[in-house]
Amino acid sequence: MRRALLALVVLVASLVVPVAGVGAAGAELDPAMVALWERTDGPVAAGETDRSWLWGPQANRVTTEPYTYAPLKENRRLVAYFDKSRMEINDPSGDPSDPWYITNGRLVYEMMTGRIQVGQDPDIYTTVLPASIPVAGDPFSWNTPTYQVLGRLMGSAPDRTGEIITATVDRDGTTGFDLSRRAAGLRYGAYVTYTGEQGETVGHNLPEVFVDFLTRHVSPLVAPADWVFVTGYPLTEPYWTKTLLNGQETDVLVQCFERRCLTYTPSNPDPFKVEMGNVGLHYQHWRYGSWQVSCPTVPVRGFGTLWSSNREVRDTLGCPEDTTGERGIRTAYQRFERGTMIWVDVDDVYNPERSILVLYDDGTFARYADTWDEGQAVSDPRLTPPAGLYQPVRGFGKVWRDVPGVRDRLGWAVEPERGSHGAYQRFNYGTMVWIEDFDQIWVFAGDLYWNPGGTWSVHDDTFDG
């Protein structure tokens, strides 16, 4: 892991506006944390500077978290969550005046990848689902990409210094260009390169407005370090996107770094056009399960019971996509040695064709169009399954035989194909499918109809009615 942690010289001064002394979990802020907040955000609270918050007006949660590291007692470290980030003390026996005494969490990377660091020397990670929380705007702003979506855009980019920024990203991660954005006149101002986790060179462009904000407002606060110690290195390019601010659709330029996300909102008054996103608040909600919002509609019956009672499912799927509710469909399924095939007869604006879902035992799935018709071969007579096993036929067989890798991963079928009735419902970030024969609900994480695959889980239908 790169040691580009927040290096701040902690100076003791009188507190301008008190921050929370005791967090929700009962732990107390370390005096060095209080002094750090006063140095950096005290002037903001007192109205003595024309910039936005570096941390936030107060600590929202102060607690200890599991972290395996030799200097820590009982392998727990003190952390303080603010709106914009998290303060951490990894070595409480260290010198509070040391630039490394308080560090700044790599929260954005963790939310984008689902890899939570729980130890160092050596680095230890635990893996969970990435955060399906919009990176900017109102909670569950459905026209805005989430951390999970932006996690797919973490590759390197060529140097575009001096060009006008027209790159766009929509809520499902589709990137493009909008030439009308040239009117804003925002240009790429710097190109930053660094060494990635696999030893590769990674490069990303920074907008001039972000370079100005970081060098004028952030670097002086962390001298002798610079802004990289606050934000980390950039993980994505800057993209224009849309979000909801106070319920109003708003254009915003967003770029995510390892530790922070920056936004530029043209409609904001100066000096608040450039702000740091509420990364600390988002991370706290993601990790501790307090992200509560109201959806325009909610699912009912079995889908509703699972969605409302299972936070992981709810956070993964988001709100129902439309107001039509669940729909009855024809289905078919077949079990294999190392997975399952499910056929769904769905025809709507998102999926104008029948689909075959190939579910692998490792928890991933792939979707293929069902292109088989009555004039094509039902099976391949040259293939003879082992005793007690079956060759799939019709649409299942065509995908199994013709798509590279599917047959090897699934193996032979362990039962004949069976037809059934079912139901499905679309959500913002996935789909639920119910099959009557099993009385179970499959949850497909990732947009089932815009992306060719994702992850799946299956749950008992506990609704009784």
Side-chain angles (χ1 to χ4, degrees):
M1 173 182 175
R2 294 180 299 276
R3 301 298 178 190
L5 299 173
L6 175 61
L8 296 175
V9 178
V10 179
L11 301 179
V12 178
S14 59
L15 195 60
V16 178
V17 175
V19 294
V22 178
E28 295 185 1
L29 278 171
D30 187 274
M33 292 177 168
V34 176
L36 173 56
W37 180 90
E38 178 186 307
R39 179 193 174 195
T40 54
D41 273 352
V44 179
E48 298 173 352
T49 182
D50 61 347
R51 63 171 172 84
S52 53
W53 300 100
L54 185 67
W55 301 96
Q58 67 178 20
N60 301 319
R61 181 185 183 96
V62 184
T63 187
T64 61
E65 293 177 342
Y67 197 78
T68 301
Y69 186 43
L72 292 171
K73 294 181 179 180
E74 300 179 352
N75 287 328
R76 298 188 71 86
R77 66 176 175 181
L78 180 67
V79 298
Y81 286 95
F82 293 79
D83 286 357
K84 307 298 181 182
S85 190
R86 178 182 71 194
M87 294 184 188
E88 310 158 343
I89 297 179
N90 294 331
D91 184 2
S93 65
D95 180 0
S97 65
D98 190 299
W100 300 97
Y101 185 70
I102 293 178
T103 56
N104 178 26
R106 203 175 173 210
L107 306 187
V108 176
Y109 171 84
E110 293 187 6
M111 287 192 287
M112 289 172 66
T113 63
R115 300 181 71 224
I116 298 176
Q117 186 170 6
V118 293
Q120 67 183 71
D121 294 337
D123 292 344
I124 304 172
Y125 292 89
T126 184
T127 302
V128 298
L129 286 172
S132 57
I133 297 174
V135 298
D138 298 341
F140 282 108
S141 178
W142 297 121
N143 53 354
T144 308
T146 66
Y147 292 96
Q148 181 182 43
V149 166
L150 289 186
R152 302 197 296 265
L153 305 178
M154 290 173 59
S156 190
D159 187 349
R160 295 190 173 94
T161 303
E163 297 179 18
I164 292 180
I165 303 171
T166 60
T168 61
V169 64
D170 62 22
R171 63 161 203 170
D172 69 317
T174 301
T175 58
F177 297 94
D178 182 356
L179 295 183
S180 69
R181 302 293 184 177
R182 298 179 61 88
L186 298 187
R187 295 182 181 273
Y188 299 106
Y191 186 67
V192 176
T193 61
Y194 59 94
T195 302
E197 293 184 335
Q198 305 302 320
E200 77 282 15
T201 298
V202 180
H204 283 293
N205 298 276
L206 271 61
E208 288 179 339
V209 290
F210 290 171
V211 173
D212 178 71
F213 174 79
L214 293 170
T215 55
R216 261 198 327 125
H217 293 298
V218 176
S219 288
L221 294 174
V222 299
D226 60 18
W227 59 265
V228 175
F229 290 97
V230 176
T231 64
Y233 289 106
L235 296 177
T236 71
E237 286 293 282
Y239 294 103
W240 285 105
T241 192
K242 292 186 179 295
T243 190
L244 295 179
L245 290 176
N246 299 317
Q248 300 297 313
E249 188 172 72
T250 306
D251 291 326
V252 63
L253 184 74
V254 62
Q255 184 171 23
C256 285
F257 300 70
E258 292 174 297
R259 296 174 173 83
R260 309 286 181 114
C261 289
L262 293 183
T263 60
Y264 173 84
T265 309
S267 58
N268 275 2
D270 288 323
F272 301 107
K273 292 185 184 298
V274 176
E275 297 177 291
M276 291 192 176
N278 290 327
V279 166
L281 187 64
H282 294 164
Y283 185 94
Q284 178 188 337
H285 292 323
W286 172 60
R287 184 159 177 174
Y288 290 101
S290 55
W291 190 254
Q292 301 293 334
V293 299
S294 297
C295 294
T297 61
V298 296
V300 297
R301 293 182 288 275
F303 289 166
T305 299
L306 174 60
W307 183 86
S308 61
S309 64
N310 189 311
R311 172 186 169 257
E312 183 174 307
V313 168
R314 186 170 62 252
D315 287 353
T316 298
L317 294 180
C319 292
E321 177 71 17
D322 51 43
T323 59
T324 60
E326 68 181 66
R327 293 174 50 185
I329 59 172
R330 292 186 302 150
T331 67
Y333 62 91
Q334 189 168 20
R335 290 170 170 161
F336 289 75
E337 292 176 294
R338 294 180 293 276
T340 303
M341 280 188 170
I342 296 177
W343 175 77
V344 290
D345 186 13
V346 176
D347 185 356
D348 61 15
V349 295
Y350 301 103
N351 184 55
E353 59 190 2
R354 300 165 300 175
S355 290
I356 292 174
L357 308 174
V358 180
L359 285 61
Y360 299 108
D361 283 348
D362 64 0
T364 63
F365 79 93
R367 173 178 53 86
Y368 304 98
D370 178 14
T371 60
W372 183 86
D373 61 40
E374 296 295 337
Q376 298 177 351
V378 173
S379 63
D380 187 342
R382 297 169 298 177
L383 299 176
T384 302
L389 300 178
Y390 301 84
Q391 178 189 168
V393 298
R394 293 181 289 274
F396 285 168
K398 185 176 181 181
V399 170
W400 184 79
R401 293 189 305 271
D402 295 351
V403 177
V406 171
R407 177 181 170 185
D408 290 339
R409 291 185 67 183
L410 281 181
W412 295 93
V414 298
E415 64 182 5
E417 173 185 330
R418 296 171 60 183
S420 183
H421 295 285
Y424 97 107
Q425 185 166 6
R426 287 185 50 79
F427 293 77
N428 292 118
Y429 303 111
T431 302
M432 284 188 180
V433 174
W434 172 77
I435 297 181
E436 184 178 31
D437 282 7
F438 295 105
D439 205 20
Q440 289 180 314
I441 297 170
W442 278 261
V443 174
F444 295 95
D447 198 332
L448 181 61
Y449 303 124
W450 291 343
N451 297 321
T455 60
W456 65 274
S457 60
V458 63
H459 310 263
D460 290 335
D461 181 7
T462 61
F463 176 72
D464 184 12

